[in-house]
Amino acid sequence: APDSKSLMWSGSDHKLRRVDIDTGKEEVLVSSNAGNIGTPQFSPDGKWISYSKDDNSLRSHVWVKELATGKENMIVSDQFMISRGAKWTPDGKKLLLLGGVGVAGIASTAGRGSAQLYSVALTHIEKDPLDRDVNTEAQAEAADRETPAAGRGGRGTAAGGMPSGAANMQVRIEWDELERRITQLTRVPGSVTTVVPAPDSRTYLLMAMAGAPSGGEEGAPAAGPAMYAISEDGTRLTRLNTTVPDAGRGGRGGRGGGFGSGGGTEPQWARDGRSIYFLQGGGIYSLAIPATPAGDSGTAADAAAGGRGGRGGRGTGAGMAAATETAASGSAPRRIAFTVRMEIDLAAERKQVFEEAWRVMKNRFYDAKMHGANWAAAKDTYEPLLGNIADTEELHNVIMEMIGDM
């Protein structure tokens, strides 16, 4: 939680729980009959949570719950059939989510299983976000000069990259006509898999699986994972240079990047919003994010003049394709050297493994009556043996003996 007093976790029993860190007290916040609860997130003020859960047709949907009242609302739109991966912008004004038509491989959706990035404005918009009051070339140039300064800890941003007044920020959601305030930001050929908003909420980092090149042109970039930066209004989509210095070894890297090869996790923004950190191939890397992304697909004024049109951002495809052509632009990632010393309490580790094995069987065994066995008593019988085991094999033997009682 934003106040660091509690955390949420999703279990294999299809329930989302909140745990008080000081007392250990748990409460169930959300449950599902169809599957596990996905990507739970606290709102920046800690008064709301977002998450995804499946309906009875196993289609995932993003939900928002107000903790004080317990009221849940599903984010719905005719622009997508399924949604997941919601993230709150740090300023509390928008909810970002990944939406798609269907699930890849299902015939009824014609294989349209890709997901794109959508932005949900949580309160009514007083002004068209694409209207920047730019009527002359001079005004367009002035707007273009001001955008980078405000986008990276500049005007209107407090120390640490957070918007001014963020400490007292309260998230408000106006549900009336919310669907009309959902905007599609990307139309990448492949599928967006993750989005991470910057601390200033003006730039989003996203990861996507690039689509296969059309026509099989010789020398075209191969399909694969890539990392992009995009402005909050859907302009300036830029593919980042994530080719690590040792990309030539171990098969990592390649044209246009290579992020995700050799292992990777969700990237994180630095607190000042000027760079990101990501894990790849067992190494931690830092990558500077330019104030105005290289390979700019057009200024905000260009977008207002016709780069996007209508609900859902129709017309953005051309700009995004152009940005994709400028793959691997910008500075290369810098590896961060570090050393870690890890001490393992073997007795505590074995106890944890034993308890998790017991809990998983309790919650997931097909017969709720456990074939008539007293499962709590079985735990009491075998747990004292943990003090006498010598290695992992003996631990596994104890666990299998316990399971054998059923």
Side-chain angles (χ1 to χ4, degrees), residues 374-392:
N374 186 332
W375 196 234
K379 182 174 185 291
D380 294 337
T381 299
Y382 287 95
E383 190 169 18
L385 300 179
L386 298 180
N388 301 319
I389 63 178
D391 53 31
T392 301

Side-chain angles (χ1 to χ4, degrees), residues 5 9 41 71 84-85 100-102 130 143 167 190 196 221 233 245 258 262 267 295 339 348 350 355 359 381 404:
K5 294 182 180 180
W9 65 277
Q41 298 278 320
K71 185 176 181 180
R84 58 180 176 80
V101 176
L130 298 183
V196 187
D233 60 359
T339 57
R350 291 165 183 163
E355 291 183 347
R359 176 176 55 81
T381 299

Side-chain angles (χ1 to χ4, degrees), residues 39-340:
T39 57
Q41 298 278 320
F42 282 102
S43 65
D45 62 356
K47 296 181 179 180
W48 308 76
I49 60 171
S50 63
Y51 50 89
S52 60
K53 65 177 180 179
D54 293 347
D55 60 20
N56 291 333
S57 299
L58 301 183
R59 294 176 300 187
S60 175
H61 302 282
V62 169
W63 290 74
V64 174
K65 180 175 182 176
E66 186 176 16
L67 294 176
T69 64
K71 185 176 181 180
E72 295 177 282
N73 288 276
M74 186 173 76
I75 305 296
V76 296
S77 173
D78 59 6
Q79 301 181 63
F80 47 79
M81 291 175 55
I82 58 173
S83 57
R84 58 180 176 80
K87 297 287 183 66
W88 304 80
T89 57
D91 60 8
K93 295 181 179 180
K94 296 177 181 178
L95 185 68
L96 308 176
L97 59 85
L98 308 179
V101 176
V103 180
I106 295 182
S108 61
T109 63
R112 294 170 293 177
S114 66
Q116 301 296 327
L117 175 62
Y118 291 81
S119 171
V120 184
L122 300 179
T123 58
H124 285 92
I125 302 172
E126 301 296 333
K127 175 184 173 183
D128 185 347
L130 298 183
D131 181 8
R132 291 161 178 84
D133 295 325
V134 176
N135 300 309
T136 67
E137 185 175 348
Q139 289 175 333
E141 292 176 352
D144 195 35
R145 287 194 300 269
E146 292 177 3
T147 299
R152 290 288 182 273
R155 188 165 52 204
T157 305
M162 294 296 292
S164 301
N168 300 320
M169 176 266 299
Q170 291 187 345
V171 175
R172 292 191 306 113
I173 302 181
E174 299 173 350
W175 294 105
D176 182 36
E177 297 186 330
L178 181 73
E179 182 180 355
R180 296 175 61 86
R181 306 194 299 272
I182 299 177
T183 303
Q184 183 173 349
L185 298 183
T186 65
R187 289 183 181 276
V188 295
S191 184
V192 179
T193 59
T194 305
V195 60
V196 187
D200 63 9
S201 303
R202 292 170 177 157
T203 304
Y204 309 143
L205 188 71
L206 60 93
M207 293 189 291
M209 293 296 296
S214 60
E217 300 91 339
E218 183 178 356
M227 192 185 302
Y228 299 84
I230 189 173
S231 296
E232 62 175 331
D233 60 359
T235 62
R236 294 188 170 91
L237 179 75
T238 305
R239 185 168 180 174
L240 302 176
N241 180 3
T242 55
T243 303
V244 299
D246 58 349
R249 298 198 299 270
R252 299 208 303 272
R255 182 175 176 179
F259 172 78
S261 302
T265 58
E266 180 176 297
Q268 300 290 323
W269 286 90
R271 294 183 63 183
D272 62 4
R274 298 176 184 272
S275 60
I276 59 170
Y277 299 96
F278 63 92
L279 178 66
Q280 181 170 321
I284 297 177
Y285 293 86
S286 172
L287 178 64
I289 304 298
T292 301
D296 190 359
S297 62
T299 65
D302 294 333
R308 294 165 61 197
R311 274 181 61 195
R314 294 187 183 278
T316 54
M320 293 182 180
T324 306
E325 293 295 334
T326 61
S329 60
S331 59
R334 175 178 60 88
R335 182 160 186 161
I336 298 175
F338 68 94
T339 57
V340 175

Side-chain angles (χ1 to χ4, degrees), residues 362-379:
K362 176 180 181 294
N363 293 329
R364 301 184 66 176
F365 192 60
Y366 79 96
D367 180 9
K369 296 182 180 180
M370 309 298 285
H371 287 175
N374 186 332
W375 196 234
K379 182 174 185 291

